Amino acid sequence: MSSKSTTPSVNGRGSTAAARRRAREGEIISATRRLFDERGVRDAQIEDIAQAVGVNRAIIYRHFTGKEELFSLTLVQYLDELRGALEEAAETTSEPRAQLERLVEAFVTYGLAHPAFVDCAQSIMRRPGGDLLEEVSESAMYRLGQAISGCLSVLTRTIEAGAESGAFHVADPRLLANMLYASGLGTLQLGRVAMLVSEEAPGVPRISRVTAEQVRDHMVTTALAVAIGVPR
């Protein structure tokens, strides 16, 4: 009687290797995220990430094309969480104005609670698209694009619903959603710094505090004002 071979198939070995690779990539991204939250984006170095995972830096570069790709995929984690927060906020009401207000509030709450998200998102946005494409693989860019569009789609649906009902006067909901996201990151940075610069007297600067509530209220007011706009 012939015995059956117990040697794993080529496909089986390939699947196992791919699973191990995905698991290691997940470990590296999670370690990067922890360092971001603990130290900030600027202070997170590849050597520190490798040490946190228990590998040498060469392993990091075996899994990622470079620092920009690793940071981009770490941003995906934040964006996935943000999308969940936005979807929960959108479900609290179906009235477009109230829904937009809740979405902005959820964005502010998440951004102030995760300052590394703001830093990471801004660092990626500061790079020209062509330069980023040269440093980040196509698959990583696709995942990043999915994560960003996922968040923007929640906001876009609210703006579109408001435009259809006549509550908002917006010609291009997708453009407005992108602009609110980009400008919102800048305003969140102001909330993180918590300093307001003004002029006490001609040539004399004055530094005062800006609160999280002021940042939130400003962003809500601005979003509603732009969305409501003026009928054309």
Side-chain angles (χ1 to χ4, degrees), residues 104 107-109 112 184-195 210-222:
V104 174
F107 180 77
V108 173
T109 298
L112 293 179
L185 289 173
T187 307
L188 283 174
Q189 185 63 34
L190 175 63
R192 179 184 176 187
V193 174
M195 291 193 304
V210 60
T211 67
E213 290 74 20
Q214 286 176 300
V215 170
R216 180 200 63 207
D217 293 346
H218 168 77
M219 289 180 63
V220 168
T221 300
T222 300

Side-chain angles (χ1 to χ4, degrees), residues 43-61:
D43 293 331
Q45 303 298 322
I46 293 296
E47 291 80 2
D48 299 326
I49 296 167
Q51 185 177 5
V53 181
V55 299
N56 61 54
R57 60 179 293 157
I59 297 297
I60 304 292
Y61 290 110

Side-chain angles (χ1 to χ4, degrees), residues 91-210:
E91 290 173 357
T92 61
T93 178
S94 59
E95 199 283 312
R97 295 190 190 188
Q99 195 173 73
L100 180 58
E101 182 175 345
R102 304 281 173 79
L103 289 176
V104 174
E105 289 175 346
F107 180 77
V108 173
T109 298
Y110 185 84
L112 293 179
H114 302 85
F117 155 67
V118 179
D119 285 347
C120 192
Q122 287 187 319
S123 69
I124 297 300
M125 289 187 68
R126 280 195 293 266
R127 302 298 302 276
D131 291 351
L132 194 59
L133 283 171
E134 290 180 359
E135 299 181 24
V136 177
S137 67
E138 184 176 339
S139 62
M141 281 297 296
Y142 183 77
R143 288 168 63 183
L144 179 60
Q146 276 187 317
I148 294 174
S149 63
C151 290
L152 292 175
S153 67
V154 183
L155 182 56
T156 301
R157 287 195 298 269
T158 295
I159 298 171
E160 287 175 338
E164 290 173 3
S165 69
F168 299 154
H169 301 94
V170 179
D172 190 338
R174 290 176 298 178
L175 176 60
L176 179 56
N178 277 265
M179 291 180 67
L180 289 176
Y181 173 75
S183 63
L185 289 173
T187 307
L188 283 174
Q189 185 63 34
L190 175 63
R192 179 184 176 187
V193 174
M195 291 193 304
L196 193 65
V197 181
S198 58
E199 196 173 54
E200 179 100 29
V204 181
R206 177 184 179 184
I207 305 297
S208 54
R209 302 289 293 178
V210 60

Side-chain angles (χ1 to χ4, degrees), residues 28-46 48-49 52 67-78 113-121 123-124 192:
I28 295 171
I29 291 172
S30 294
T32 305
R33 164 71 184 271
R34 288 194 299 273
L35 286 174
F36 279 3
D37 290 336
E38 293 170 4
R39 305 182 188 180
V41 175
R42 288 186 178 181
D43 293 331
Q45 303 298 322
I46 293 296
D48 299 326
I49 296 167
K67 187 176 181 180
E68 293 298 330
E69 176 164 304
L70 176 54
F71 283 21
S72 295
L73 292 176
T74 304
L75 177 58
V76 169
Q77 268 199 5
Y78 287 112
H114 302 85
F117 155 67
V118 179
D119 285 347
C120 192
S123 69
I124 297 300
R192 179 184 176 187

